[in-house]
Amino acid sequence: MLTLLSMFYYICLRRRSRSGTRGEALTSRRAVESGQRAVLPVSVEVEQYAKEVLDFSSHYGSENSMSYTMWNLAGVPNVYPSSGDFTQTAVFRAYGTWWEQCASAPPPFRRTPKGFHSQDYIELGFEEPVYPTAVEVLETYYPGAIVQILACSHNPFSQTPPTDVRWEVLWSGEPTKVLTPQARQFSPNIKHISFPTNLLRLEVNSSLLDYYTELDAVILRGVKERPMLALYKMPVIDINDLSDSEEDLSEVGGLFRSGGDGKHHRTGNGYFDKLPYELIQLILSHLTLPDLCRLAQSCKLLHQHCCDPLQYTQLSLQPYWARLSDASLGHLQGRCTLLQRLNLSWTGNRGALTLSSFSSFMKVCGLSLVCLELSCCHFLNEACLEVISQSCPGLQELNLSSCDRLHPQAFTHISKLNRLRRLVLYRTKIEQTAILSILTFCIELRHLNLGSCVRIEDYDTVASMLAARCRSLVSLDLWRCRNLTDRGLNELVSGCRMLEELDLGWCPTLQSNTGCFQHLARGLPRLRKFFLTANRTVCDSDIEELAANCPSLQHLDILGTRLVSAASLKKLLQACPKLLLLDVSFCSQIDMRVVVELSGLYPNVSIKKSFTH
């Protein structure tokens, strides 16, 4: 086998190679022929579970408990090999395509690479840095969401500030739908990397799953000494260079012509000179951002087209979070003077972006900005939000989801953005004073997400302010707000009658016996999405009022109630022909027999009933 390989490389290397000199090629060939081989160190494989959860984009659980939170991924398994819906596992906030179908969902960004599938992530720190040999993820319910596993060169437990942070993809794949929701151990073949790591990042996409995926533990296997697998440094050989003669140089058609004197003369840009400017712009609009930047280096004409600000009215840098730096942001700055929609989610962490570069970019490119996505941007501070409020006077959409390291005082600057229509503050530290100030001045709000904002002391006051100031509100997410009562909910319903989406999941202070849910059903005829997750008091009367007054209902979650019967669900299904999702998990009166029966009668409705083994 070695002889055959030597013959093949000998044939390849005797031809022209773009990547190395002839001397380098001969040296490489002699290395093969002489059988030179690096000494392989003997090292014992280390197995370790995650020591700490460092960062994540979302979770189903509360900030003040362990149930369904990402923190459950630290340490040894709690559940595996059991299958089912367990509170001791890590669960992300969403699944399927239900959230994308809602009015509150923003439109996708153009130019998002087809290979970028990630919707959520979690970063895990391990005790010892190792060269990874395997990564194993213990999935206990609806597996198949993991689409990428990455390793980082930075030691998260080091006291030294990070410099030259590198991320390498160990494995990537497309979203999958596993045929069974049963537990499994996911251990893909991973790529070998050149540095030791004790920081892994899992990225997930749950869009194909029928229910929430649940993860129990992550195992990192590796060796402490670097495996020396390469025989020698082999220059890259382009298959197109394997011509019969080293002197045979093919002519680049169209760009050069031979003159009578035997010399080559440039004739311009070929057919591109004949195409209308707008047509070339349309063609280039289908390229991804890296391709656009590469094409700009090919010739002056295409450089002009690729740098046209009209190519950068929408810019999503989220897919390139691992590579984005001050330098790359500065490189794009001159091209983005007409920028309208910008997605910087997940970028800038661990020193990749600084306040000065972000501020400079926003001051140059913020004037026309209407949408700014900054989910999980931990480099943000109060000065950044102040710059946004000063540089983006026309901003209509702002997403600060999971920016949980922002100081509460920073949010007061948002009140200066009085044209806001969509504001996402999920898992932030915003406090009562700041949210009331925002609602006072941002009266055009249509979509507001305050899910898991645990520092807001009085949600009744917030609901009252919404009813008074934001009467055109279309969607409101109050997931896991701990102190909303029937008084605040009744005021909200009376003032915001345009509501189409309302998430009251895990709001324990709301009680059905006050009549608040029936009042809600009568007051919100446009309701399309309604989550009453884990409210034990929801009863048949509430469901029947929804059936009588909310014909446009599409998504309903009543997980965990003990008082709803099959009879009221049948009335709901009959009266709401647009219903697509109905979650009756842990509803004690609705067993699997009822679910099967209703699914047969209403096949267009996805009826969810989770289980525990």
Side-chain angles (χ1 to χ4, degrees):
M1 178 61 72
L2 184 59
T3 302
L4 291 174
L5 289 173
S6 301
M7 292 176 62
F8 172 74
Y9 284 117
Y10 180 81
I11 294 170
C12 293
L13 292 169
R14 66 188 295 270
R15 290 165 169 79
R16 177 172 50 89
S17 173
R18 290 196 184 106
S19 57
T21 65
R22 185 174 179 82
E24 290 172 339
L26 289 173
T27 302
S28 298
R29 177 173 62 82
R30 293 192 189 104
V32 176
E33 292 174 345
S34 61
Q36 292 179 7
R37 188 181 297 267
V39 178
L40 298 178
V42 178
S43 183
V44 177
E45 187 176 66
V46 176
E47 174 187 297
Q48 49 187 331
Y49 292 94
K51 175 183 178 181
E52 185 178 333
V53 175
L54 303 171
D55 189 22
F56 55 90
S57 56
S58 77
H59 60 179
Y60 186 90
S62 165
E63 303 302 295
N64 300 321
S65 74
M66 291 296 290
S67 297
Y68 296 122
T69 64
M70 288 296 128
W71 299 302
N72 285 319
L73 268 184
V76 299
N78 299 309
V79 172
Y80 187 85
S82 299
S83 300
D85 189 343
F86 291 94
T87 61
Q88 303 97 317
T89 57
V91 185
F92 290 99
R93 178 69 183 87
Y95 73 94
T97 59
W98 312 110
W99 279 256
E100 298 170 7
Q101 298 171 4
C102 296
S104 57
F109 277 78
R110 297 199 301 264
R111 280 206 170 96
T112 301
K114 293 183 179 179
F116 180 73
H117 305 292
S118 305
Q119 297 175 334
D120 274 297
Y121 73 85
I122 181 169
E123 293 180 359
L124 302 167
F126 295 79
E127 183 69 38
E128 298 185 51
V130 294
Y131 293 92
T133 56
V135 176
E136 299 170 5
V137 185
L138 306 184
E139 303 172 277
T140 55
Y141 201 40
Y142 283 95
I146 298 172
V147 293
Q148 193 156 246
I149 303 175
L150 302 98
C152 185
S153 61
H154 172 61
N155 185 339
F157 306 117
S158 171
Q159 301 301 317
T160 306
T163 58
D164 191 26
V165 176
R166 291 173 53 197
W167 286 93
E168 288 284 345
V169 176
L170 299 179
W171 173 87
S172 65
E174 296 185 356
T176 58
K177 182 177 181 179
V178 180
L179 297 179
T180 172
Q182 303 297 322
R184 73 167 185 179
Q185 180 174 296
F186 179 60
S187 183
N189 293 323
I190 64 172
K191 184 181 78 172
H192 295 286
I193 57 176
S194 59
F195 56 82
T197 185
N198 62 337
L199 170 53
L200 294 184
R201 176 178 172 121
L202 309 182
E203 295 186 354
V204 305
N205 181 315
S206 305
S207 62
L208 298 183
L209 302 187
D210 289 329
Y211 208 58
Y212 298 96
T213 188
E214 299 191 6
L215 311 178
D216 193 17
V218 177
I219 304 170
L220 171 61
R221 301 181 188 275
V223 294
K224 294 185 179 180
E225 298 180 56
R226 179 177 179 180
M228 302 295 292
L229 301 177
L231 299 178
Y232 54 89
K233 181 180 179 181
M234 171 59 68
V236 179
I237 301 172
D238 191 328
I239 193 67
N240 295 317
D241 286 335
L242 301 182
S243 57
D244 290 331
S245 170
E246 293 184 4
E247 282 70 40
D248 179 22
L249 298 177
S250 59
E251 185 181 34
V252 181
L255 293 181
F256 297 93
R257 300 292 183 200
S258 296
D261 56 0
K263 297 181 179 180
H264 292 285
H265 300 280
R266 184 175 295 275
T267 61
N269 298 300
Y271 290 108
F272 277 102
D273 282 331
K274 300 181 179 181
L275 292 177
Y277 190 93
E278 295 79 6
L279 181 56
I280 298 178
Q281 287 285 295
L282 178 62
I283 294 171
L284 298 188
S285 69
H286 294 279
L287 296 179
T288 63
L289 181 62
D291 289 340
L292 198 65
C293 294
R294 294 185 190 106
L295 188 62
Q297 303 175 47
S298 60
C299 69
K300 289 184 178 180
L301 175 69
L302 291 178
H303 182 271
Q304 177 187 356
H305 280 283
C306 292
C307 293
D308 192 316
L310 289 174
Q311 289 289 337
Y312 301 87
T313 57
Q314 291 193 31
L315 184 62
S316 178
L317 297 174
Q318 183 181 7
Y320 317 107
W321 63 266
R323 291 178 284 168
L324 191 69
S325 64
D326 284 352
S328 49
L329 201 61
H331 177 74
L332 291 167
Q333 183 171 300
R335 308 181 184 189
C336 297
T337 53
L338 300 180
L339 186 62
Q340 297 177 9
R341 301 184 70 222
L342 174 62
N343 184 2
L344 284 173
S345 294
W346 303 3
T347 65
N349 298 334
R350 296 186 175 86
L353 290 182
T354 61
L355 170 62
S356 59
S357 68
F358 176 79
S359 300
S360 174
F361 187 89
M362 296 308 299
K363 289 175 182 177
V364 173
C365 309
L367 186 61
S368 302
L369 207 61
V370 295
C371 173
L372 182 56
E373 301 281 336
L374 295 171
S375 173
C376 305
C377 289
H378 300 310
F379 71 90
L380 293 175
N381 57 18
E382 182 176 353
C384 292
L385 290 196
E386 184 177 10
V387 168
I388 292 172
S389 68
Q390 294 171 349
S391 305
C392 308
L395 197 64
Q396 297 179 15
E397 301 181 36
L398 178 61
N399 182 357
L400 295 172
S401 173
S402 289
C403 292
D404 55 345
R405 301 172 197 180
L406 266 174
H407 191 273
Q409 182 65 27
F411 296 96
T412 57
H413 296 285
I414 298 177
S415 62
K416 303 170 189 174
L417 300 168
N418 55 20
R419 296 187 184 179
L420 275 181
R421 289 172 171 261
R422 174 174 165 263
L423 179 60
V424 181
L425 297 173
Y426 167 73
R427 286 193 66 240
T428 61
K429 295 178 180 177
I430 189 168
E431 295 180 345
Q432 186 93 359
T433 303
I435 187 60
L436 293 180
S437 176
I438 292 170
L439 298 181
T440 299
F441 295 101
C442 301
I443 61 175
E444 296 183 22
L445 274 176
R446 300 292 186 273
H447 307 285
L448 178 61
N449 188 332
L450 296 176
S452 292
C453 292
V454 296
R455 294 205 176 193
I456 296 177
E457 301 168 354
D458 186 356
Y459 272 95
D460 281 349
T461 302
V462 173
S464 178
M465 181 67 80
L466 280 167
R469 302 291 295 175
C470 304
R471 303 181 73 88
S472 298
L473 200 65
V474 174
S475 73
L476 178 61
D477 191 330
L478 297 178
W479 175 264
R480 292 189 180 274
C481 73
R482 304 297 297 180
N483 48 43
L484 179 68
T485 69
D486 60 290
R487 180 180 64 83
L489 182 58
N490 289 337
E491 284 193 53
L492 176 71
V493 170
S494 299
C496 301
R497 304 186 73 86
M498 305 291 287
L499 273 173
E500 297 180 12
E501 301 173 29
L502 183 57
D503 193 332
L504 300 175
W506 297 87
C507 296
T509 50
L510 292 173
Q511 300 292 315
S512 174
N513 58 13
T514 63
C516 61
F517 298 142
Q518 296 179 43
H519 177 259
L520 181 150
R522 291 190 290 266
L524 300 178
R526 296 170 177 259
L527 203 60
R528 294 166 54 192
K529 172 186 172 181
F530 188 32
F531 275 29
L532 280 173
T533 316
N535 192 303
R536 314 297 188 204
T537 69
V538 177
C539 62
D540 283 342
S541 300
D542 303 320
I543 301 301
E544 290 169 3
E545 284 292 340
L546 287 172
N549 297 283
C550 303
S552 299
L553 195 63
Q554 296 179 356
H555 305 153
L556 178 64
D557 186 342
I558 54 170
L559 175 149
T561 182
R562 305 186 182 103
L563 306 176
V564 171
S565 67
S568 65
L569 289 184
K570 288 181 180 179
K571 292 180 181 179
L572 179 78
L573 290 163
Q574 291 170 357
C576 300
K578 298 180 181 180
L579 197 65
L580 299 173
L581 171 67
L582 176 61
D583 195 334
V584 293
S585 300
F586 301 107
C587 292
S588 55
Q589 293 192 43
I590 312 298
D591 56 25
M592 281 305 301
R593 178 187 58 80
V594 174
V595 171
V596 171
E597 178 189 349
L598 295 178
S599 297
L601 294 172
Y602 302 95
N604 294 329
V605 183
S606 183
I607 303 177
K608 307 299 181 183
K609 178 74 173 177
S610 63
F611 67 88
T612 301
H613 284 175

